[in-house]
Amino acid sequence: MGRGKLRIYVGAAPGVGKTYAMLSEAHRRVERGTDCVVAFVEHHDRPRTEVLLHGLEQVRRHHLEHRGVSHTEMDVDAVLARHPKVALVDEIAHTNVPGSRNAKRWQDVEELLAAGIDVISTVNIQHLESLADVVESITGVRQRETVPDEVVRRADQIELVDMSPQALRRRMAHGNIYQPDEVDAALSNYFRPGNLTALRELALLWVADRVDEYLQQYRGEHNIRSTWQARERIVVGLTGGAEGRTLIRRAARMGAKGSGSEILAVYIARSDGLTAASPKELAVQRTLVEDLGGTFHHVIGDDIPRSLLEFARGVNATQIVLGSSRRTSWQYIFGPGVGATVARESGPDLDVHIVTHDAVGKGRGLPVARGARLGRSRTASGWVVGVGGPVLLTLLLIHLIGDLGLANYMLLFLALTVAAAMLGGLRPALASAVAGSMLLNYYFTEPQREFLVSAPRNIVSILVFVGVAVAVASVVDLAARRTQQAARLRAESEILSFLAGSVLRGETTLDALLERVRETFAMESVALLERVSDVEPWVCAGSVGTRQLDRPEDADVDMPVGDHMALALSGRVLPAEDRRVLGAFAAQAAVVLDRQRLQSEAQQARALAEGNRIRTALLAAVSHDLRTPLAAIKVAVSSLRSDDVAWSARDEADLLAGIEDGADRLNHLVGNLLDMSRLQTGTVNPLIREIDLDEVVPMALGGVPDDSVELDVPETLPMVAVDKGLLERAVANVVENAVKYSPDGIPVTVAASALGDRVEVRVVDRGPGVPDDGKEHIFEPFQRYGDAPRGAGVGLGLAVARGFVESMRGTLNAEDTPGGGLTMVLTLPAVAGHPTARPDLPAQVTS
């Protein structure tokens, strides 16, 4: 029995029609005679979805009791016992009720697939694990129910159910998704046009990436090397010169003309060590292409045109952007150049764009810094000139040119020797000198056509020629090598200068530095290892690459840094001349690691300093704000105990009321001080329980006048998972602060509502409000906003409230009240599995 096949309908938001499409597919299969059953589908009171369930066999569900509430889940055993050909399982990201066979519904689906049952399911894009943070930043709703991306990616078929935001909002307004009394709340919260547009884009891009994976897999399986222009991919070839910025921007403009275009910048380095380009310029270009939405790639290859074309075809690129050659006219004698070669060999499936720039025709600039040896093509050219040149010159002198004299012949052969030395170095020049001397002896000295010299002066001439040729070749070869060495040292100095500057400025993290080492030396993996002593095991302080390095002995190259630290590299063995630069990288890596640890210690020191500041402010508060109510209490008590004045009953009542008021203020201030102390020391441990807001919020209003607050907390709200005592204190502080700043006669509104898997409590006042730059400042300890009097408190109420709320995995933020004032928004996690108000459904329900 083989594994079943999985088909998933993906949607951007609830209501786009995923369940409807799944049920329609089920009816089509039933009509074709396929054994298809409904394992678990919720219609959510949507008439059209409910109608489609008619005519389909539904497997009984499993009933569970959890915390006094009855729930139904898919009965996996019943489905396995029924063993249909196809099972419909809605909402694959759903979290099962505790006590179920599996924790997640996708695990139930895996069991069905393993049993050979084909499964059709649905999922919303916001329930994918990798997109949870993105969706939260867009909608403000944290998805509690998620499914690993790999589960969905493994599906045999993925079908996108798409709908424009405008059409989905019309469906919502017509009551096709929620009941009419719930439409306004949904449209103004989760189903805002901006939210739906962003979610739709996420869904389209995610499915497009999956389609691209299918395409790449198919091309690989069928060994297809030609480009299929299903999507515009623009490859930008970089040389490390400043013109790369122009090429990247030009490619970005080209990509902007077509939706979904992809920009890939690639720098190809030879495999013989250090890169020829400036690392600083490459870093700038990497940042630029990433800012424009593209990707940067570092490729190793000795044949640059071939490597560039292989990379382009490997990523299924459709266009290549290259800069016009920087060569001067005479430099074309060495070949047509990268641009011309790529354009000639690209074929009909790749468009090559040659972009002009300011450096066209101004020369290559710095020579290639690749050590003292010359390149292969240049060495080959030297041998051709050194060996073939004298032969061709001899033929030319014999058949086309008359007698020029032995001195002129020697000068011509000497010129070839110098040319061979300049091109190929010493060995081709020596070969040219030997060949030239033999040809001079055989053809141009008496007796001719024999390797003999009759005149002594000719012997001297030939010996002088050989000596001069060897001397000139040695000097030219030495100059060429010194030039190459200077170029290498200049490249090294650029690397080290930029490296030192970035490290000293604190711009480089350890991982970024190790990645630069890997790219610079064309390695597979780089790791910084350290240990406490010679007998302790090595510990990895940071690593990049595909291979894990645990000991210096496991690496191809290791560079010690002090006694107990080493930089380990895997990929190839470096030549000795490269280890000097590697040593500098290793030393800088140690510096970066030390700096990161110092920064961590500095953060701890700042935390201690903040604690000292809090203690100083606490002393100030004790010295003034706490003494104020104490002084009032002392005066009232002293007055009551005085025998000099006969107090009336009304006066005594006023004095007693003052004592009570001062004691209440003192108790409130001391409570906030103690709470802030607990928050600062991290000793707040919430006791999370499931409670109803209508049981807590009214109790938090005991410290404010009865007519100062209007309360709107529906009983239909879901339960929240909070600490009852902490929540009561937080709400009390927020409400008391709002009442303090609200104008007389205008009550503060406290309203609660459900949004996704969260519950919001909004405390609205009509006071003076707070500007945007002060909304975070008011939550800092010992802060009073505006002209609040000193006797109004120590400035801890909102700080304590936010601390308590965040300890319960909630949030507390300030917003402007429409029409003036300030609204405090307290967001709390709702209890999963409990009945929720309908506006909460978008975050948990698929259609």
Side-chain angles (χ1 to χ4, degrees):
M1 178 178 61
R3 179 180 171 85
K5 296 185 179 298
L6 175 62
R7 179 172 183 172
I8 295 182
Y9 289 94
V10 178
V16 296
K18 300 179 301 303
T19 305
Y20 191 94
M22 178 179 65
L23 294 174
S24 299
E25 175 65 19
H27 279 284
R28 285 192 292 270
R29 298 199 181 196
V30 170
E31 292 173 359
R32 295 196 298 264
T34 304
D35 183 14
C36 183
V37 302
V38 176
F40 191 95
V41 172
E42 287 283 4
H43 55 75
H44 301 298
D45 297 328
R46 297 170 186 171
R48 297 183 181 181
T49 305
E50 186 176 4
V51 168
L52 283 179
L53 284 171
H54 297 161
L56 297 176
E57 178 185 349
Q58 300 188 44
V59 179
R60 63 176 175 83
R61 298 186 181 184
H62 185 46
H63 292 269
L64 294 169
E65 292 286 337
H66 180 61
R67 294 177 178 173
V69 180
S70 178
H71 303 271
T72 60
E73 295 288 359
M74 180 174 66
D75 193 334
V76 180
D77 291 327
V79 179
L80 292 174
R82 172 65 175 78
H83 205 281
K85 173 61 177 175
V86 180
L88 307 185
V89 183
D90 205 5
E91 303 176 21
I92 195 172
H94 172 74
T95 300
N96 294 330
V97 174
S100 300
R101 182 190 187 99
N102 296 302
K104 303 287 289 188
R105 184 167 292 167
W106 65 264
Q107 295 170 326
D108 297 337
V109 170
E110 286 293 324
E111 287 198 39
L112 300 183
L113 295 173
I117 301 174
D118 294 344
V119 176
I120 304 178
S121 188
T122 63
V123 70
N124 276 334
I125 197 68
Q126 66 263 28
H127 293 297
L128 295 177
E129 182 67 42
S130 66
L131 300 178
D133 293 339
V134 180
V135 172
E136 183 180 12
S137 66
I138 294 171
T139 65
V141 178
R142 180 67 181 179
Q143 302 300 322
R144 297 175 62 88
E145 295 187 332
T146 58
V147 59
D149 290 44
E150 185 60 28
V151 173
V152 183
R153 288 184 181 276
R154 286 201 306 263
D156 299 276
Q157 296 183 57
I158 296 177
E159 183 171 337
L160 177 66
V161 182
D162 188 29
M163 180 177 290
S164 68
Q166 294 78 11
L168 183 56
R169 285 173 60 84
R170 282 197 299 270
R171 288 195 63 194
M172 175 73 69
H174 293 160
N176 295 333
I177 302 176
Y178 298 140
Q179 297 300 321
D181 58 341
E182 302 158 352
V183 171
D184 290 339
L187 290 176
S188 61
N189 290 288
Y190 194 86
F191 286 82
R192 292 193 294 267
N195 289 0
L196 296 178
T197 302
L199 293 174
R200 187 189 188 198
E201 182 179 13
L202 282 177
L204 291 171
L205 291 176
W206 192 91
V207 174
D209 287 340
R210 180 57 175 149
V211 172
D212 192 48
E213 291 177 9
Y214 281 133
L215 180 61
Q216 294 293 351
Q217 180 181 354
Y218 180 85
R219 284 166 53 85
E221 292 174 351
H222 293 78
N223 197 26
I224 298 174
R225 300 296 297 166
S226 60
T227 300
W228 287 3
Q229 299 185 5
R231 178 180 181 183
E232 289 292 339
R233 285 187 177 85
I234 304 173
V235 171
V236 184
L238 302 178
T239 64
E243 73 276 4
R245 307 182 198 182
T246 302
L247 303 185
I248 293 171
R249 294 189 179 98
R250 183 70 180 91
R253 292 196 297 271
M254 293 168 57
K257 296 179 181 178
S259 178
S261 298
E262 186 176 356
I263 308 298
L264 301 95
V266 57
Y267 172 73
I268 299 176
R270 298 186 187 273
S271 60
D272 55 356
L274 292 171
T275 59
S278 166
K280 180 178 180 180
E281 182 61 33
L282 282 179
V284 172
Q285 293 175 15
R286 177 196 289 269
T287 302
L288 176 61
V289 71
E290 290 174 351
D291 289 344
L292 294 175
T295 56
F296 183 92
H297 303 269
H298 197 108
V299 177
I300 305 299
D302 291 324
D303 189 338
I304 293 179
R306 180 179 178 183
S307 300
L308 181 61
L309 288 171
E310 287 181 351
F311 175 82
R313 293 192 174 102
V315 298
N316 199 27
T318 57
Q319 303 180 58
I320 298 178
V321 176
L322 298 172
S324 297
S325 178
R326 291 179 294 170
R327 293 181 173 190
T328 56
S329 300
W330 66 268
Q331 289 178 316
Y332 281 96
I333 64 175
F334 300 111
V338 174
T341 304
V342 171
R344 184 181 67 247
E345 299 180 2
S346 61
D349 55 349
L350 269 174
D351 297 333
V352 180
H353 303 268
I354 306 297
V355 179
T356 59
H357 50 84
D358 294 338
V360 173
K362 294 183 179 179
R364 290 179 175 271
L366 291 176
V368 178
R370 306 200 181 280
R373 61 186 182 277
L374 302 173
R376 294 180 179 178
S377 61
R378 185 168 172 179
T379 302
S381 301
W383 280 104
V384 169
V385 173
V387 177
V391 176
L392 294 177
L393 178 61
T394 300
L395 295 175
L396 182 65
L397 293 175
I398 292 175
H399 298 289
L400 299 179
I401 301 176
D403 187 11
L404 298 178
L406 182 60
N408 291 325
Y409 293 149
M410 294 176 64
L411 290 175
L412 291 174
F413 279 99
L414 183 61
L416 283 178
T417 301
V418 173
M422 294 180 64
L423 289 175
L426 181 60
R427 293 181 180 180
L430 293 177
S432 176
V434 173
S437 62
M438 294 178 65
L439 291 173
L440 282 172
N441 183 14
Y442 190 79
Y443 288 102
F444 302 109
T445 59
E446 296 296 336
Q448 295 183 354
R449 303 298 193 275
E450 294 182 12
F451 289 105
L452 297 173
V453 180
S454 60
R457 65 178 182 274
N458 291 338
I459 296 176
V460 175
S461 298
I462 291 176
L463 292 176
V464 170
F465 166 76
V466 174
V468 171
V470 172
V472 171
S474 300
V475 172
V476 172
D477 177 71
L478 181 61
R481 290 178 179 274
R482 290 292 183 265
T483 301
Q484 293 298 319
Q485 290 173 356
R488 177 186 177 85
L489 292 174
R490 181 171 181 177
E492 291 181 3
S493 65
E494 280 190 4
I495 294 174
L496 298 177
S497 175
F498 176 69
L499 174 64
S502 61
V503 171
L504 290 175
R505 291 190 300 270
E507 299 173 353
T508 304
T509 63
L510 181 59
D511 288 343
L513 180 61
L514 296 180
E515 180 64 25
R516 182 175 295 279
V517 174
R518 191 188 67 80
E519 290 187 353
T520 300
F521 295 99
M523 288 293 181
E524 294 179 358
S525 302
V526 179
L528 183 64
L529 307 175
E530 63 176 347
R531 60 182 177 180
V532 178
S533 65
D534 294 336
V535 297
E536 294 293 329
W538 290 95
V539 178
C540 181
S543 65
V544 295
T546 58
R547 178 182 171 189
Q548 180 67 33
L549 298 173
D550 299 321
R551 301 182 306 164
E553 294 81 4
D554 299 334
D556 296 316
V557 181
D558 68 283
M559 175 61 64
V561 187
D563 295 332
H564 302 124
M565 186 177 291
L567 187 65
L569 298 87
S570 172
R572 65 187 181 92
V573 178
L574 286 181
E577 58 267 21
D578 286 348
R579 294 182 65 88
R580 179 175 63 255
V581 179
L582 181 60
F585 271 108
Q588 294 290 9
V591 171
V592 171
L593 181 61
D594 289 341
R595 191 184 68 243
Q596 289 182 353
R597 289 173 175 171
L598 289 174
Q599 288 175 345
S600 177
E601 294 175 0
Q603 291 177 354
Q604 296 177 3
R606 282 194 294 269
L608 293 175
E610 178 67 15
N612 290 332
R613 188 186 69 83
I614 294 295
R615 283 190 288 271
T616 301
L618 178 60
L619 291 175
V622 171
S623 65
H624 185 281
D625 297 281
L626 295 184
R627 293 178 64 183
T628 300
L630 282 175
I633 295 173
K634 173 66 174 175
V635 169
V637 171
S638 299
S639 299
L640 289 174
R641 295 187 62 187
S642 175
D643 298 331
D644 298 336
V645 180
W647 301 103
S648 64
R650 181 175 181 179
D651 291 336
E652 289 182 354
D654 290 340
L655 290 173
L656 290 173
I659 294 174
E660 184 178 13
D661 180 65
D664 290 340
R665 288 175 55 195
L666 185 61
N667 180 64
H668 182 72
L669 292 174
V670 172
N672 276 337
L673 289 171
L674 294 176
D675 291 336
M676 180 53 61
S677 176
R678 293 167 59 200
L679 290 171
Q680 292 291 332
T681 56
T683 57
V684 176
N685 297 313
L687 184 61
I688 302 299
R689 292 288 185 271
E690 298 176 5
I691 62 171
D692 290 314
L693 275 181
D694 56 358
E695 297 177 2
V696 179
V697 175
M699 297 177 61
L701 307 182
V704 297
D706 294 338
D707 58 350
S708 62
V709 176
E710 290 183 353
L711 191 61
D712 181 16
V713 181
E715 296 181 356
T716 58
L717 288 176
M719 301 178 75
V720 290
V722 295
D723 183 303
K724 182 177 180 180
L726 296 183
L727 178 60
E728 182 179 339
R729 290 294 306 276
V731 174
N733 283 358
V734 173
V735 172
E736 290 174 8
N737 184 78
V739 171
K740 183 191 308 180
Y741 288 97
S742 186
D744 294 337
I746 301 179
V748 170
T749 301
V750 179
S753 61
L755 178 62
D757 57 354
R758 316 287 281 180
V759 175
E760 284 187 356
V761 179
R762 306 179 75 88
V763 181
V764 184
D765 69 60
R766 295 294 178 176
V770 176
D772 292 339
D773 57 356
K775 285 187 173 61
E776 285 299 314
H777 187 63
I778 60 177
F779 291 104
E780 297 178 4
F782 302 102
Q783 300 295 327
R784 299 182 183 86
Y785 181 74
D787 56 353
R790 289 286 297 177
V794 295
L796 286 176
L798 295 182
V800 169
R802 171 174 275 192
F804 282 171
V805 172
E806 290 180 348
S807 70
M808 297 181 289
R809 295 181 293 111
T811 60
L812 177 60
N813 297 294
E815 299 177 357
D816 291 327
T817 301
L822 190 68
T823 298
M824 291 291 180
V825 183
L826 192 155
T827 307
L828 301 168
V831 177
H834 284 271
T836 60
R838 300 297 291 189
D840 184 40
L841 290 176
Q844 298 181 356
V845 177
T846 54
S847 63

